[in-house]
């Protein structure tokens, strides 16, 4: 079943960058009568599945929303558990990332992560930095409004110190100041859990992204769901403001 789906994908029209909102861990656990943290732990398997499937098929960038700046407002026990899980998972996965030639990157206000998490992350980024098949980007302590405000400050600073002219501020130079400066905009966004919102994720970068919402909780996400999402993407007509007739 999943092999059939995979073979139906047109490899010449793959999204180069897929962004994902991994949502529904808590509800998945609750449905099973388990604590929310159990859902987060179970979500790691889905992270492995999507990373492996995306790399295998030839996707170049995969960005996963792992922790938003708003997620600090959750109960302290859950936040602690998420940070512990992060360190543990990153340390365990470096070997597999290297084996699969996958480079790890991160976007977000990383300096505000607990020291242990920040160190583990920095080390994994360094240890995988020469890998070339795919870049896996973790959005950690990330929010789009934080990112946009941060870029605006940098640009204002550059103008103030005379390194940049106001006339030089345009969509291109603005993009170059975002955390995703060296990464192309995502062509496809996938969100699980049935929720249909963006939750402060890549607001600038998603301007023309195709959105795909899935009615399943993140821990149930498997390779076939990635294939389904890509096939749906390939059936969309991306017009970028033009008319349908202009595209042919
Ligand atoms: C996504 O699942 C993981 C994080 C936000 C860290 P949730 O924890 O949001 O699970 P739900 O949406 O409450 O079910
Ligand atoms: C978005 O999920 C953030 C992550 C997946 C890390 P949330 O569960 O925090 O989003 P809302 O609260 O439902 O919008
Ligand atoms: Mg959620």
């Amino acid at each position: 079943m999943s092999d059939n789906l995979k073979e139906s994908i047109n490899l010449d029209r793959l999204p180069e960058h897929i962004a994902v909102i991994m949502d529904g861990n808590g509800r998945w656990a609750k449905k099973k009568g388990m604590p929310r943290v159990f859902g987060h732990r179970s979500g790691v398997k889905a992270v492995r599945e999507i990373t492996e499937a995306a790399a295998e098929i030839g996707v170049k960038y995969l960005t996963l929303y792992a922790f938003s700046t708003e997620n600090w407002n959750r109960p302290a026990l859950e936040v602690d558990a998420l940070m512990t899980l992060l360190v543990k998972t990153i340390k365990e996965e470096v070997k597999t990332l290297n084996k699969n030639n996958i480079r790890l990157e991160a976007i977000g206000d990383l300096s505000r992560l607990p020291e242990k998490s920040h160190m583990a992350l920095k080390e994994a980024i360094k240890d995988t930095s020469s890998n070339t098949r795919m870049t896996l980007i973790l959005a950690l302590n990330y929010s789009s409004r934080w990112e946009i405000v941060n870029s605006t400050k940098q640009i204002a600073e550059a103008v103030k110190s005379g390194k940049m002219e106001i006339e030089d501020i345009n969509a291109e130079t603005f993009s170059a100041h975002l955390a995703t400066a060296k990464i192309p905009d995502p062509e496809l966004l996938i969100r699980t859990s049935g929720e249909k919102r963006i939750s402060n994720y890549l607001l600038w970068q998603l301007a023309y992204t195709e959105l795909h919402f899935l009615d399943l909780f993140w821990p149930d996400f498997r390779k076939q769901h990635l294939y389904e999402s890509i096939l749906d993407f390939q059936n969309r007509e991306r017009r970028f403001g033009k008319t349908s007739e202009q595209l042919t």
Side-chain angles (χ1 to χ4, degrees):
M1 156 79 174
S2 127
D3 274 351
N4 279 347
L5 281 175
K6 192 180 177 187
E7 272 150 35
S8 313
I9 293 173
N10 178 352
L11 296 178
D12 296 328
R13 287 185 47 229
L14 268 186
E16 188 184 16
H17 181 182
I18 299 179
V20 184
I21 303 178
M22 315 185 282
D23 195 26
N25 292 351
R27 279 166 283 169
W28 182 89
K30 196 175 169 190
K31 218 176 67 185
K32 293 185 149 33
M34 299 294 279
R36 293 178 56 86
V37 177
F38 178 67
H40 297 314
R41 283 195 208 109
S42 307
V44 175
K45 184 176 160 62
V47 171
R48 283 195 203 104
E49 287 260 332
I50 195 169
T51 305
E52 204 181 290
E56 270 170 10
I57 208 163
V59 170
K60 284 305 196 189
Y61 300 89
L62 177 67
T63 304
L64 305 179
Y65 206 0
F67 195 87
S68 75
T69 54
E70 287 78 17
N71 289 147
W72 293 112
N73 299 322
R74 292 188 178 195
L77 266 178
E78 180 169 344
V79 171
D80 286 351
L82 277 167
M83 290 301 151
T84 309
L85 183 65
L86 175 72
V87 177
K88 185 171 166 275
T89 309
I90 288 175
K91 287 190 170 163
E92 282 171 4
E93 295 305 313
V94 170
K95 237 192 197 162
T96 314
L97 291 174
N98 279 331
K99 197 180 92 205
N100 292 329
N101 195 12
I102 298 169
R103 183 164 71 108
L104 186 72
E105 272 292 348
I107 54 171
D109 192 355
L110 306 179
S111 64
R112 290 195 47 223
L113 290 174
E115 181 67 11
K116 256 191 181 171
S117 316
H118 193 197
M119 291 302 284
L121 188 65
K122 278 212 297 211
E123 213 166 291
I125 290 173
K126 194 169 113 258
D127 291 348
T128 60
S129 61
S130 53
N131 295 338
T132 53
R133 181 153 76 142
M134 184 179 84
T135 305
L136 172 66
I137 303 137
L138 294 182
L140 267 172
N141 193 19
Y142 174 88
S143 87
S144 205
R145 287 185 175 177
W146 162 81
E147 182 188 34
I148 289 171
V149 167
N150 199 43
S151 318
T152 308
K153 280 187 192 163
Q154 286 177 34
I155 291 171
E157 206 48 71
V159 172
K160 195 173 154 198
S161 66
K163 284 192 199 114
M164 201 174 165
E165 299 292 331
I166 289 189
E167 293 68 33
D168 296 334
I169 305 175
N170 53 41
E172 209 177 308
T173 53
F174 193 83
S175 294
H177 284 85
L178 294 171
T180 52
K182 296 188 186 80
I183 304 162
D185 289 343
E187 288 101 326
L188 171 63
L189 169 86
I190 299 171
R191 180 173 189 148
T192 57
S193 91
E195 238 56 89
K196 292 177 184 67
R197 56 174 168 259
I198 301 300
S199 303
N200 215 347
Y201 192 41
L202 303 171
L203 299 178
W204 171 277
Q205 297 87 339
L206 292 177
Y208 269 105
T209 303
E210 297 296 329
L211 311 180
H212 186 88
F213 298 102
L214 278 168
D215 255 326
L216 58 93
F217 295 134
W218 178 251
D220 288 329
F221 191 96
R222 292 296 171 267
K223 289 185 178 183
Q224 74 173 87
H225 301 114
L226 178 70
Y227 304 149
E228 280 166 15
S229 308
I230 295 176
L231 282 168
D232 173 49
F233 165 82
Q234 295 189 331
N235 281 320
R236 307 268 183 104
E237 184 177 67
R238 307 188 72 204
R239 289 192 287 276
F240 300 97
K242 295 182 178 173
T243 69
S244 200
E245 291 69 28
Q246 284 177 294
L247 298 174
T248 43

